[in-house]
Amino acid sequence: MANHLSKNAQKGLGRLGDLILPASGEFPKYSDVAGFQYLDEMVENAPEDDISSLSLVLSILAFMPGFILQWIVSKMEKSQYDPSNGILAVTFRQLNVGIRGLLYSTYYSEKINPNYKGKTPEQLIDFEVKRVAD
Amino acid sequence: MYDFIVIGSGAGGGSLSYYLTKGGAKVLLLEAGKFYRKDTFPRTEAEGSAQLYWGGGIEFDKDARMGFLRTKLVGGSSIVYQCLMDRFDDIALHDWKAESGVNWFTQEDMAPHYEQVESDMALHTFKEDERTRNGQLFANACDKLGYKWSYLRRGQSDCAPEKGNDCTTCLAGCHRDSKQSALVAFVQKAEKLGLEIQTEIEIDRVESHANGVKIFGKKHKNAVTFEGKKVILCGGAFGSTKMMLQSGFKSKLPALGKHFSSHPQFMWFGFQKEIVDAHKGMFQSVASKDPNFRKEGFKLENVFSLPISIAMLFTAYGAQHQQYMKKYRHMQCIEVAVRDENTGTIQVDNKGKLVVTKRLTDQDNARKERGLDAIKKILVASGAEEVYESQMYFGLHLMGGCVMGVDGGKSVVDPEFRVHGEKNLYIVDSSIYPNAPGINPGLTIKSLGNRLANQLLK
Ligand SMILES: Cc1cc2nc3c(=O)[nH]c(=O)nc-3n(C[C@H](O)[C@H](O)[C@H](O)COP(=O)(O)OP(=O)(O)OC[C@H]3O[C@@H](n4cnc5c(N)ncnc54)[C@H](O)[C@@H]3O)c2cc1C
């Protein structure tokens, strides 16, 4: 079966996303811009059991109270500095990279909601590259 | 039956297949990934990361501290590499010889292979007018601080900078066939000479018999088998080690899965008042060439990347992260690559998943600290208004796991690239590296491919 993030998992990711990429200054919050429709494409080649575990965790987070989400996000943010190699520390580091990878791929990129009307994060950072084929 | 079956089409497998085919042999090249070409490579960073890499983007060590990047497509990691082509120096070859006991790890013995491979690639050494602002800031500050630096040599034929082409776009495959990946330098040429290539075939294990080697794998989850008179594993440090472990060699060869190193890389940033645009043009043109740095076990390069990768390196969340990204065009960036000890291990768990243990040793940490200290001095001397010390680190040069050596108790392949105790099974890729050279590994991997091809064609 192809990798897939359920609707609830996408909702959980959107909630985490709004904490990690909030509305600030000119920047829009994650869920306003996110290209949720591209998420399955982004996880297509990741190991199936990693994605089914991630999908489960995100689905649970969709229904967690906000303060628990805040706590998880602060653990994720500090995880890179945590000297422990215990299972909890490792899990938060894995989440830190896995979740940020999905968020940034559908925020600082073209993989955003096509109906979003404001300045996109790519435009806000003034990013532009030129590809000259033959 | 094929004369030779080569498994894995990266720097090692691409070069070997080309020289074998050119020498008239009947060769089959098997590759786990898909076949992309210049007009089908992904066009965006997000697609490149999701489509081309093993693990769907990045893989991790057991502690989830160090990320590893390797790709799964025809051409292997050379499709996304920067193609900086350096020969090994005396220090690297001396240390290989000392660790492995292999007596041909010398400049004289390696020279013909380097020469052959170099003559089959378009090589370009950057010049002053090709430096980007990121490169200028690096070189000027090195001059101020008395650090030696030099221009890089890159495999490229025609990057069209005069037309405004930005080479960061080739981090997901070069759309001009300019970058000298294994695909451009070897595989496409070998195809024209009759090389047979089968893709999307992941090999699980091999089994030797009297007259050859049987290969077992999967194509889209369906079992497939092949048989060759001689079989050469070129799956890279993770891929070849995994195939060897799954083939049951660990009990005979205790060194299998050991001596893994990866040149851990740390990227730090300086924010300049002016626009740097480190992602534009030929974005990487200079590096440190300081004999003291070499002695101390690290090197510095002026590097950069596209927004998603850069965003990953800024670990702060929230508004602070967005404010850093807002200054994307003002970022100056330098990386330290540590010449690390080969104490890492590669194992496979009972679900068939790779388990990589790679903790930095005291020596690695000391080298890293010295390198980061030099980076900080350069960023400050360049006039950076703020320095960002990223905590994320990763390995792009995955080496070891099936190291070469004379002693079957301490190594996996012998000095003729043959798996100890086997008649027809060989390995040539970065997995055979006895230890970390502290130098870009790609040119030497290709040259070892040339050496093995010459030997097999005799
Ligand atoms: C971003 C990046 C930048 C880099 N820049 C440079 C640089 O500037 N200079 C330099 O010298 N080096 C650079 N490197 C490192 C260089 O790319 C690698 O060291 C080199 O490609 C390794 O060659 P290899 O043949 O060992 O493995 P790879 O090139 O990784 O090839 C292995 C191939 O085997 C295939 N494979 C693996 N397992 C199996 C299996 N079971 N069945 C079938 N196929 C399999 C893989 O899909 C892959 O195609 C860089 C690497 C990265 C990721």
Side-chain angles (χ1 to χ4, degrees):
Chain A
M1 198 185 75
N3 280 330
H4 174 64
L5 288 180
S6 66
K7 278 274 170 265
N8 281 336
Q10 293 184 17
K11 188 171 162 199
L13 185 73
R15 291 186 74 202
L16 281 179
D18 287 348
L19 293 173
I20 294 173
L21 293 164
S24 94
E26 309 149 279
F27 282 91
K29 70 175 192 288
Y30 174 72
S31 59
D32 282 348
V33 190
F36 288 108
Q37 64 270 50
Y38 300 112
L39 286 170
D40 286 349
E41 189 190 319
M42 293 297 108
V43 298
E44 193 183 331
N45 293 312
E48 277 172 31
D49 35 339
D50 289 2
I51 295 308
S52 51
S53 313
L54 182 68
S55 189
L56 182 68
V57 170
L58 288 172
S59 305
I60 296 170
L61 294 181
F63 301 101
M64 284 281 171
F67 73 92
I68 297 188
L69 243 63
Q70 291 272 12
W71 179 80
I72 291 174
V73 163
S74 92
K75 294 297 269 184
M76 281 166 55
E77 187 176 9
K78 293 187 193 114
S79 63
Q80 226 57 40
Y81 300 87
D82 186 344
S84 163
N85 289 323
I87 181 145
L88 215 57
V90 169
T91 306
F92 280 119
R93 279 199 288 277
Q94 283 169 338
L95 283 176
N96 176 40
V97 173
I99 295 206
R100 285 194 310 129
L102 286 177
L103 296 177
Y104 299 157
S105 300
T106 46
Y107 187 80
Y108 293 116
S109 78
E110 312 74 7
K111 302 276 171 192
I112 57 167
N113 178 355
N115 298 322
Y116 179 70
K117 293 283 182 285
K119 267 193 164 185
T120 68
E122 268 197 346
Q123 288 166 339
L124 288 168
I125 65 172
D126 204 8
F127 169 74
E128 178 263 312
V129 277
K130 191 166 168 190
R131 170 181 285 108
V132 182
D134 294 325
Chain B
M1 222 195 310
Y2 294 93
D3 296 335
F4 301 105
I5 300 184
V6 177
I7 305 173
S9 63
S15 144
L16 174 73
S17 309
Y18 171 63
Y19 292 113
L20 285 175
T21 309
K22 197 173 159 203
K26 187 168 180 242
V27 184
L28 169 65
L29 176 60
L30 298 174
E31 167 57 49
K34 294 184 181 159
F35 209 143
Y36 292 84
R37 299 193 194 256
K38 65 174 180 177
D39 44 352
T40 56
F41 283 130
R43 284 302 194 245
T44 66
E45 183 188 15
E47 286 165 354
S49 174
Q51 290 173 24
L52 305 186
Y53 286 83
W54 285 86
I58 192 163
E59 295 168 293
F60 275 95
D61 75 316
K62 200 166 91 178
D63 301 332
R65 284 189 192 282
M66 183 169 187
F68 302 113
L69 293 178
R70 63 172 178 135
T71 54
K72 182 179 181 181
L73 74 164
V74 174
S77 300
S78 79
I79 296 296
V80 300
Y81 73 175
Q82 246 305 81
C83 207
L84 305 173
M85 294 285 101
D86 303 320
R87 288 190 184 199
F88 281 9
D89 61 9
D90 291 337
I91 300 175
L93 288 171
H94 169 274
D95 291 355
W96 270 21
K97 194 171 167 183
E99 178 128 9
S100 65
V102 177
N103 61 18
W104 55 262
F105 286 142
T106 63
Q107 295 293 356
E108 301 72 53
D109 285 297
M110 285 300 293
H113 309 297
Y114 281 137
E115 277 158 25
Q116 181 63 59
V117 169
E118 284 164 345
S119 72
D120 285 316
M121 275 193 298
L123 291 167
H124 175 79
T125 302
F126 291 104
K127 297 184 292 294
E128 186 166 355
D129 60 350
E130 292 170 315
R131 279 188 309 195
T132 59
R133 187 69 188 131
N134 195 23
Q136 283 169 2
L137 289 166
F138 177 87
N140 295 346
C142 283
D143 287 343
K144 249 193 235 170
L145 293 162
Y147 297 151
K148 299 249 179 323
W149 60 274
S150 69
Y151 290 105
L152 292 164
R153 182 171 73 151
R154 184 169 190 255
Q156 61 179 59
S157 58
D158 170 21
C159 289
E162 72 290 352
K163 294 183 190 153
N165 186 40
D166 294 319
C167 285
T168 36
T169 59
C170 85
L171 293 172
C174 175
H175 41 273
R176 301 181 55 78
D177 271 359
S178 170
K179 180 166 79 177
Q180 304 290 290
S181 62
L183 174 69
V184 171
F186 302 118
V187 176
Q188 291 183 161
K189 290 181 197 160
E191 247 184 323
K192 291 195 182 120
L193 298 172
L195 171 69
E196 183 180 338
I197 307 171
Q198 293 196 30
T199 58
E200 297 177 71
I201 294 183
E202 184 170 345
I203 301 307
D204 297 320
R205 63 187 182 88
V206 293
E207 206 175 273
S208 296
H209 54 79
N211 303 314
V213 179
K214 219 165 165 189
I215 301 171
F216 302 85
K218 293 181 289 296
K219 179 157 180 128
H220 306 149
K221 296 190 177 166
N222 299 319
V224 285
T225 57
F226 301 88
E227 205 168 341
K229 289 183 196 153
K230 292 194 189 298
V231 167
I232 307 98
L233 307 186
C234 304
F238 288 177
S240 289
T241 305
K242 187 174 181 197
M243 286 185 268
M244 288 290 288
L245 287 165
Q246 292 181 158
S247 305
F249 281 101
K250 181 71 183 169
S251 54
K252 287 182 231 156
L253 299 167
L256 179 59
K258 292 190 177 164
H259 308 301
F260 171 63
S261 57
S262 58
H263 290 162
Q265 302 189 8
F266 299 77
M267 283 161 77
W268 279 13
F269 298 84
F271 294 99
Q272 293 288 339
K273 209 180 179 96
E274 61 173 305
I275 286 181
V276 178
D277 271 348
H279 61 298
K280 303 294 284 178
M282 310 238 230
F283 71 105
Q284 201 178 348
S285 55
V286 293
S288 66
K289 187 84 184 171
D290 198 290
N292 292 326
F293 292 178
R294 179 74 179 128
K295 254 188 254 149
E296 291 181 59
F298 66 87
K299 69 170 176 140
L300 309 181
E301 272 174 16
N302 92 299
V303 293
F304 204 60
S305 197
L306 295 166
I308 300 167
S309 314
I310 295 298
M312 292 301 291
L313 296 170
F314 287 88
T315 45
Y317 288 4
Q320 203 187 350
H321 187 275
Q322 289 153 322
Q323 286 318 307
Y324 281 132
M325 288 303 288
K326 177 89 188 145
K327 294 187 263 184
Y328 180 79
R329 295 186 64 194
H330 294 259
M331 290 178 190
Q332 171 190 6
C333 179
I334 306 173
E335 153 205 290
V336 57
V338 174
R339 186 177 187 210
D340 56 331
E341 292 187 280
N342 60 355
T343 51
T345 59
I346 304 167
Q347 291 162 299
V348 178
D349 71 10
N350 52 16
K351 285 188 189 153
K353 267 189 143 180
L354 277 172
V355 181
V356 179
T357 308
K358 177 69 184 141
R359 291 192 172 144
L360 299 186
T361 64
D362 289 346
Q363 178 177 297
D364 299 341
N365 277 315
R367 290 177 169 195
K368 165 193 136 189
E369 290 307 328
R370 284 198 287 270
L372 291 176
D373 186 51
I375 291 186
K376 200 163 183 174
K377 286 189 177 126
I378 296 172
L379 293 173
V380 171
S382 310
E385 294 181 322
E386 184 191 344
V387 172
Y388 184 86
E389 307 177 359
S390 178
Q391 296 300 309
M392 306 291 292
Y393 64 104
F394 43 89
L396 309 178
H397 304 164
L398 312 180
M399 300 166 288
C402 301
V403 298
M404 179 179 274
V406 290
D407 181 349
K410 293 185 187 157
S411 58
V412 174
V413 294
D414 69 17
E416 273 78 52
F417 302 88
R418 201 182 281 113
V419 173
H420 286 291
E422 293 290 308
K423 216 168 93 197
N424 299 309
L425 183 62
Y426 298 78
I427 308 179
V428 68
D429 58 21
S430 55
S431 73
I432 67 170
Y433 274 31
N435 52 40
I439 294 177
N440 282 309
L443 178 65
T444 302
I445 301 171
K446 295 170 184 171
S447 304
L448 294 175
N450 172 257
R451 183 177 175 97
L452 176 57
N454 293 352
Q455 176 194 309
L456 292 173
L457 288 168
K458 265 186 200 151

